[in-house]
C-alpha cells in the first residue's frame, strides 16, 4: 500500500504539479481513504521520499555491525547504501531530482533528510573517536565531508539523466575523503638528532605512516630541514 500511494502521488505531482495536488487527489487515484494515506505518510512531502526511512534504518543497522578497524571507511560504505537506493530505480530518481529542483518546499524537505543521514554517520564516528581531543569535531567534519562527497557524485549522475555508472563518480569522491581523513589525526612529527663529530650538521629521521601520500612526506621533510 505504501508503494501504491507513493506511485499515485508521484504520478499526480508530475501531471498537475506538486502544489496543485491534494491528499484527496492522491487517495482517489490510489483508490483508498484519507486514513490510509496518513497511516503511511505524515504529509505530501513524505510521499515524494518513500524510501528514505527504510534506507536510514539499513544504514543504522550497517554501522551498528561495523567493527572499529576503519571508522572512516565504514561511514563511506554506509553512504553507498543511499547510492544503491537511488540507482535501483534510475527513472524515478531522476524525475524526483527534477521535481525537487522545481519545488522549494521539497528541496527544504530533502535537506532535512540529508541532515538525518549526516547525524547518523556522525553518531557512529563519535562512538569511535570519543568526545575528547577534538573527537566530536572530527566526527562532525568527517560526516559532513562524506555526505558532501556522496551528494556531489550522485547529483552528477542525476543531472546526466541517469546515464552511466553512478558508482564511479561517488567512489571517486569518497576516495578523496578517505585519503584526507583516513590518516591519523596528528601526523607523526619529524625528529632531528645531532651528529657526533664536527657538529656542523644534523641527521633528520622522519617517521611516516605507511601509504601516506608523497606530498605529505615531502611537506614533513621540508618542515624539518627548514626549507620553504
Amino acid at each position: 500500500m505504501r508503494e501504491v500511494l507513493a506511485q499515485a502521488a508521484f504520478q499526480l505531482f508530475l501531471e498537475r504539479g506538486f502544489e496543485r495536488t491534494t491528499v484527496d487527489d492522491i487517495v482517489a487515484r490510489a483508490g483508498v481513504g484519507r486514513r490510509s494515506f496518513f497511516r503511511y505518510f505524515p504529509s505530501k512531502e513524505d510521499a515524494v521520499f518513500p524510501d528514505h526511512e527504510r534506507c536510514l534504518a539499513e544504514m543504522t543497522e550497517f554501522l551498528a555491525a561495523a567493527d572499529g578497524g576503519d571508522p572512516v571507511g565504514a561511514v563511506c560504505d554506509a553512504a553507498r547504501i543511499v547510492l544503491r537506493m537511488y540507482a535501483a530505480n534510475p527513472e524515478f530518481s531522476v524525475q524526483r531530482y527534477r521535481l525537487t529542483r522545481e519545488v522549494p518546499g521539497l528541496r527544504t524537505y530533502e535537506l532535512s533528510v540529508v541532515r538525518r543521514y549526516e547525524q547518523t554517520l556522525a553518531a557512529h564516528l563519535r562512538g569511535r573517536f570519543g568526545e575528547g581531543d577534538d573527537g566530536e569535531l572530527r566526527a562532525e567534519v568527517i560526516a559532513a565531508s562524506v555526505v558532501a562527497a556522496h551528494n556531489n557524485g550522485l547529483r552528477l549522475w542525476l543531472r546526466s539523466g541517469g546515464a552511466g555508472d553512478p558508482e564511479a563518480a561517488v567512489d571517486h569522491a569518497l576516495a578523496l575523503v578517505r585519503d584526507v581523513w583516513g590518516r591519523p589525526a596528528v601526523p607523526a612529527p619529524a625528529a632531528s638528532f645531532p651528529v657526533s663529530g664536527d657538529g656542523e650538521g644534523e641527521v633528520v629521521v622522519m617517521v611516516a605512516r605507511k601509504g601516506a601520500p608523497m606530498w605529505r612526506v615531502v611537506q614533513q621533510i621540508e618542515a624539518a630541514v627548514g626549507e620553504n
Side-chain angles (χ1 to χ4, degrees):
M1 179 57 65
R2 182 182 181 88
E3 292 180 2
V4 169
L5 285 165
Q7 183 177 10
F10 203 77
Q11 287 174 347
L12 287 168
F13 296 153
L14 294 178
E15 293 171 9
R16 305 180 184 180
F18 179 80
E19 300 295 344
R20 291 191 296 273
T21 300
T22 66
V23 172
D24 288 334
D25 295 331
I26 296 170
V27 298
R29 174 69 64 90
V32 300
R34 285 174 60 89
R35 183 176 298 179
S36 294
F37 179 87
F38 290 110
R39 184 180 298 125
Y40 293 97
F41 301 111
S43 67
K44 288 194 306 179
E45 287 80 3
D46 291 280
V48 181
F49 304 94
D51 37 16
H52 279 295
E53 289 297 331
R54 175 190 55 77
C55 189
L56 186 64
E58 185 178 348
M59 174 186 285
T60 303
E61 182 179 356
F62 173 84
L63 290 172
D67 59 36
D70 181 10
V72 177
V75 292
C76 286
D77 290 339
R80 291 186 177 91
I81 295 174
V82 184
L83 173 65
R84 289 195 293 270
M85 175 194 72
Y86 277 87
N89 193 341
E91 182 179 359
F92 174 75
S93 297
V94 170
Q95 289 177 333
R96 177 168 60 186
Y97 174 75
R98 291 170 178 168
L99 183 64
T100 56
R101 304 281 72 74
E102 298 171 359
V103 181
L106 289 179
R107 178 58 180 155
T108 300
Y109 184 93
E110 184 183 45
L111 290 174
S112 71
V113 173
V114 171
R115 178 57 180 161
R116 293 178 65 193
Y117 284 121
E118 184 177 323
Q119 289 174 331
T120 300
L121 300 179
H124 175 77
L125 292 170
R126 282 196 299 271
R128 296 294 183 267
F129 298 150
E131 297 184 358
D133 297 327
D134 287 334
E136 185 170 2
L137 173 62
R138 186 174 173 83
E140 293 286 346
V141 172
I142 293 175
S145 299
V146 169
V147 169
H150 169 273
N151 288 349
N152 179 273
L154 174 63
R155 286 167 185 160
L156 285 174
W157 177 69
L158 291 171
R159 284 195 292 268
S160 74
D165 180 10
E167 293 190 16
V170 172
D171 284 347
H172 174 70
L174 290 177
L176 295 179
V177 176
R178 296 188 69 168
D179 180 59
V180 172
W181 293 109
R183 300 189 297 270
V186 180
S192 61
F193 303 90
V195 178
S196 58
D198 58 15
E200 294 181 354
E202 292 183 327
V203 174
V204 175
V205 179
M206 189 193 72
V207 180
R209 174 178 172 271
K210 183 178 180 181
M214 185 56 65
W215 66 266
R216 173 67 70 183
V217 176
V218 173
Q219 184 181 65
Q220 290 182 244
I221 293 174
E222 290 179 345
V225 300
E227 293 182 3
N228 293 326

